[in-house]
Amino acid sequence: MHSISSVAIVGGTHGNELTGIHLVNNLANDNYSLPDSLDYRFLIANPDAVATNTRFIDVDLNRQFALDNLTYQEHSLYELNLAQIINRKIGPKDNPHTDLVIDIHNTTSNMGPTLIVLESSDFYRNMSGYLKQQMPSCNILVEDEVSYLEHPYLCTCGKYGVMLELGAQPQGVSRADVYAQSVEMVQHILKFVELHNQQETPEFKGFEAYRLLDVVQFPLSKEEKLLGLIHPALQDQDFKPLKPGQPMFSLFDGSTVEYEGEGTVYPHFINEAAYKASAVAFATADKFIW
Ligand SMILES: [Zn+2]
């Protein structure tokens, strides 16, 4: 097992997700005590987007960290250049000098505090098990449909990388309860890293986790006009079971669209504001014991 010595804690990857911005600024001002066996770097990833309180200036920064994008060249799009700068600071992705990147996000969906890991190796399982043990309200979401390096996310600049999603919180708004959850999550993760380095990670029995399956689009007409909304019975029910035959969309013509999949799934990112442009209504997951 590699030990972890350098940790980058990142906020403001999306400029209108305020929890991570507050947390990174407060960490940089020494407002919290952190394990002193680790080296920290605190980074506001997209300061221009933060200044304008928008998700991004030109394109979504958190989709620009595919390896191919990071070979140095001048781009006309702000975030493509920014991704290269961040990659040089905390990566580079193909040979990182940062051991762990923790990238803090908010969601407008009712997902509670969620840890997203991009690989199902022992390190991430142990981190997830520790977090779940210390903070049972956390959801663990595994997105390992492609390899770690194939993901385009900022956190993959580190040797290890995770994302925190905290919600529901509207874009451009900061809630104290959500902020407190982010502080608690980061502290537990850093404590886990310390235990990992000391080879004192406890053994974890199986715990509940979710694995990303798919995304479901809003119902659209041939002209790509929106035909309806998330059904009230599904709204805010992130990580709750959705069974075949249960309502999914409430259409403007008064009818209901039911979920017609083969088995039970666990929707999340339900009605996420940032996914409106791509007409994504929610993502689905499988629940498993990890
Ligand atoms: Zn985000």
Side-chain angles (χ1 to χ4, degrees):
M1 273 285 176
H2 298 286
S3 78
I4 305 286
S5 59
S6 52
V7 179
I9 302 179
V10 182
T13 298
H14 293 133
N16 55 9
E17 298 176 5
L18 303 192
T19 296
I21 299 163
H22 293 312
L23 181 53
V24 164
N25 286 332
N26 287 328
L27 288 167
N29 289 332
D30 261 346
N31 288 358
Y32 299 104
S33 71
L34 302 177
D36 55 14
S37 58
L38 304 171
D39 285 330
Y40 299 101
R41 173 157 208 159
F42 306 114
L43 181 71
I44 298 293
N46 196 339
D48 285 22
V50 172
T52 49
N53 195 14
T54 51
R55 184 172 173 87
F56 52 77
I57 303 298
D58 290 329
V59 287
D60 189 334
L61 177 62
N62 205 29
R63 301 291 183 277
Q64 309 311 323
F65 290 82
L67 271 173
D68 289 351
N69 278 0
L70 297 170
T71 48
Y72 184 74
Q73 48 189 306
E74 261 320 291
H75 290 284
S76 57
L77 300 176
Y78 172 69
E79 278 84 4
L80 286 176
N81 290 317
L82 185 56
Q84 293 180 14
I85 293 166
I86 292 169
N87 187 50
R88 286 197 292 276
K89 271 188 195 160
I90 62 174
K93 178 161 173 163
D94 53 6
N95 185 21
H97 58 77
T98 304
D99 295 318
L100 174 64
V101 176
I102 303 172
D103 188 20
I104 304 160
H105 293 257
N106 289 118
T107 170
T108 63
S109 306
N110 189 29
M111 285 167 61
T114 298
L115 174 72
I116 299 180
V117 301
L118 304 173
E119 214 173 57
S120 48
S121 64
D122 283 354
F123 176 76
Y124 292 108
R125 181 186 178 273
N126 288 338
M127 179 191 288
S128 302
Y130 183 78
L131 186 63
K132 196 81 191 150
Q133 183 191 64
Q134 300 296 320
M135 196 175 164
S137 62
C138 279
N139 295 302
I140 307 299
L141 178 61
V142 181
E143 295 188 1
D144 60 354
E145 71 284 1
V146 297
S147 74
Y148 179 71
L149 288 178
E150 283 171 275
H151 282 286
Y153 302 126
L154 181 150
C155 69
T156 61
C157 274
K159 205 173 289 167
Y160 297 96
V162 295
M163 287 177 276
L164 312 190
E165 281 288 354
L166 296 118
Q169 178 168 281
Q171 296 178 333
V173 170
S174 205
R175 294 175 53 120
D177 52 351
V178 170
Y179 177 77
Q181 290 170 340
S182 75
V183 174
E184 200 185 338
M185 281 180 96
V186 167
Q187 286 178 327
H188 289 314
I189 289 170
L190 296 175
K191 179 68 192 166
F192 161 76
V193 169
E194 212 176 31
L195 292 171
H196 164 86
N197 286 345
Q198 295 159 351
Q199 300 188 325
E200 285 176 5
T201 310
E203 287 288 311
F204 299 107
K205 291 197 189 120
F207 54 90
E208 236 172 50
Y210 300 90
R211 175 171 275 119
L212 175 66
L213 287 176
D214 227 331
V215 293
V216 175
Q217 303 286 125
F218 276 103
L220 300 176
S221 71
K222 280 198 195 101
E223 298 77 33
E224 307 219 322
K225 289 255 166 59
L226 189 66
L227 295 176
L229 305 175
I230 298 284
H231 194 278
L234 178 61
Q235 180 63 49
D236 299 329
Q237 302 302 305
D238 296 75
F239 295 120
K240 304 274 169 52
L242 175 66
K243 296 176 180 158
Q246 288 185 329
M248 194 164 60
F249 297 112
S250 178
L251 299 193
F252 297 131
D253 68 7
S255 63
T256 294
V257 178
E258 294 169 348
Y259 174 62
E260 287 180 345
E262 285 181 3
T264 301
V265 292
Y266 294 81
H268 56 285
F269 287 118
I270 298 171
N271 225 350
E272 162 59 49
Y275 299 161
K276 289 285 173 276
S278 49
V280 169
F282 56 91
T284 60
D286 220 357
K287 183 155 94 172
F288 69 107
I289 299 298
W290 194 3

